[in-house]
Amino acid sequence: MDFFAFPPLAALLDAAYGALVGLSSLLEPFAGGAASAAAVILVTLLVRALLIPVGISQAKAEQTRARLAPKLREIQRRHKKNPERLQRETLALYRAENTSPFAGMLPVLAQAPVVGILYTLFIRPEIAGHPNELLTHDLFGAPLGTSLVSAIFGGTATPATFVVFGVLLAIMIAVAEVTRRVFRPAPVEGDSPLNSPTMLRMMSALHYLTAVFAAFVPLAAALYLTVTVVWTLAQRVILRRRYPLPVSTPARVSA
C-alpha cells in the first residue's frame, strides 16, 4: 500500500521535495555536487534545533524517573502479588509527581516522520508525477538514493559507496560506544531479570541499532541519522550536567 498516494500525503511529499531541491540549489554555489547532502544536513540541524525544548523535557523526565525509582521499587515490593493494586499505586505516584512513564519519548516520535519523508524522497523515481532530481545527486561519488545493502547485493557498489558509508557507520558506532559507556543505566536493586548478563548485553546492543538500520536506508537518510546521533550525544552530555540524576537511595511509601 502506497501511503503517499493519499492526496494530503502526496502534497506533503511534493512540498518537502520542492523545499529540499530549492535548498540544494541555494547551496550549490558553495557545496557543488554535494549540495543535496548539505541540504540534508541543514534540515537535520534545523529539526534538532526545533526539538531542543523537547530534549530538555526528556532530560527532566529522566531525572524524575531516577528520583522516583526507589519509591517505585518499594511499591513493587509491597504489591507484587496484587497486579491491580500495583498498577493503581504506580499510576497514582506518577500523577502525584505530574509526570508519566512515557515522558521523554517525544523526540523519537517527532523525528520518525522526518526520517520517513527523507527515506521516501530518495527511493521514488517520481514525485507528484515529475522525475525525482534528487536521485541524480551524490556525496563524494556515492548516490544519495542508494543504500549500502542494496548496492552490495545489486552489484552497483563502488569504492566511493564503501568509503562514504564506512565513514558514516564508523561515526555512528563510535557515538553508540561513547553513549553506552557514559550513559550506562544504573543496576536495578534486588534479584531482577534486568541484572542478568543476557539482558545487559541486549540493552548494550540497542545502542548500535541505528548503525544497522543506516545500512539499509538510502544514503541521504543515513546521513540524517549520523548527524542526529552526534547531536543527540552532545545534547545529552550538556543536559545531563544541567539536570544531573539524583543518587538513588532506598525509600519507602505508605501503603
Side-chain angles (χ1 to χ4, degrees), residues 14 17-18 23 40 53-54 61 91 113 119-120 124 130 134 141 164-165 168 181 185 197-198 206 209 236 252:
D14 191 32
Y17 172 80
L23 183 57
V40 171
V54 182
L91 293 177
Y119 176 86
T120 305
R124 299 175 74 98
H130 50 76
L134 293 174
V164 172
F165 269 102
L168 296 184
R181 292 175 180 272
T198 301
L206 291 176
L209 281 182
R236 288 191 69 184
R252 288 182 173 274

Side-chain angles (χ1 to χ4, degrees), residues 9-253:
L9 293 180
L12 175 62
L13 186 64
D14 191 32
Y17 172 80
L20 196 57
V21 169
L23 183 57
S24 299
S25 299
L26 290 176
L27 295 173
E28 192 168 359
F30 311 98
S36 289
V40 171
I41 293 175
L42 284 181
V43 168
T44 308
L45 296 176
L46 175 61
V47 170
R48 292 315 310 254
L50 292 174
L51 288 175
I52 286 177
V54 182
I56 295 174
S57 175
Q58 186 180 34
K60 290 181 178 179
E62 188 177 11
Q63 186 183 57
T64 300
R65 285 195 298 268
R67 179 171 56 82
L68 295 182
K71 296 180 180 181
L72 289 171
R73 286 194 294 269
E74 180 63 17
I75 291 175
Q76 291 168 358
R77 186 189 67 80
R78 287 173 176 263
H79 307 296
K80 61 183 178 180
K81 295 183 179 180
N82 187 343
E84 293 184 1
R85 179 72 182 277
L86 174 61
Q87 182 181 20
R88 188 165 61 249
E89 294 292 337
T90 300
L91 293 177
L93 177 61
Y94 278 116
R95 282 196 300 268
E97 297 290 340
N98 195 28
T99 187
S100 162
F102 304 106
M105 294 180 62
L106 186 57
V108 176
L109 298 177
Q111 290 185 82
V114 179
V115 176
I117 290 175
L118 275 177
Y119 176 86
T120 305
L121 283 176
F122 285 92
I123 63 171
R124 299 175 74 98
E126 292 186 353
I127 302 292
H130 50 76
N132 186 351
E133 296 180 6
L134 293 174
L135 297 184
T136 64
H137 294 216
D138 61 70
L139 176 61
F140 303 124
L144 290 177
T146 300
S147 73
L148 178 61
V149 172
S150 65
I152 292 174
F153 286 97
T156 60
T158 64
T161 303
F162 287 113
V163 170
V164 172
F165 269 102
V167 170
L168 296 184
L169 293 177
I171 292 173
M172 281 187 273
I173 292 171
V175 169
E177 180 63 16
V178 173
T179 302
R180 184 184 70 84
R181 292 175 180 272
V182 175
F183 299 98
R184 191 186 304 272
V188 180
E189 294 181 3
D191 186 17
S192 171
L194 295 177
N195 291 328
S196 68
T198 301
M199 182 60 67
L200 292 176
R201 284 194 295 269
M202 290 178 59
M203 293 176 66
S204 294
L206 291 176
H207 293 290
Y208 303 93
L209 281 182
T210 302
V212 175
F213 180 68
F216 290 86
V217 299
L219 176 57
L223 187 59
Y224 177 94
L225 293 173
T226 303
V227 176
T228 202
V229 296
V230 173
W231 177 294
T232 298
L233 175 60
Q235 180 175 274
R236 288 191 69 184
V237 170
I238 294 171
L239 291 178
R240 177 60 62 87
R241 292 178 180 177
R242 176 66 179 83
Y243 302 101
L245 299 185
V247 178
S248 179
T249 56
R252 288 182 173 274
V253 294

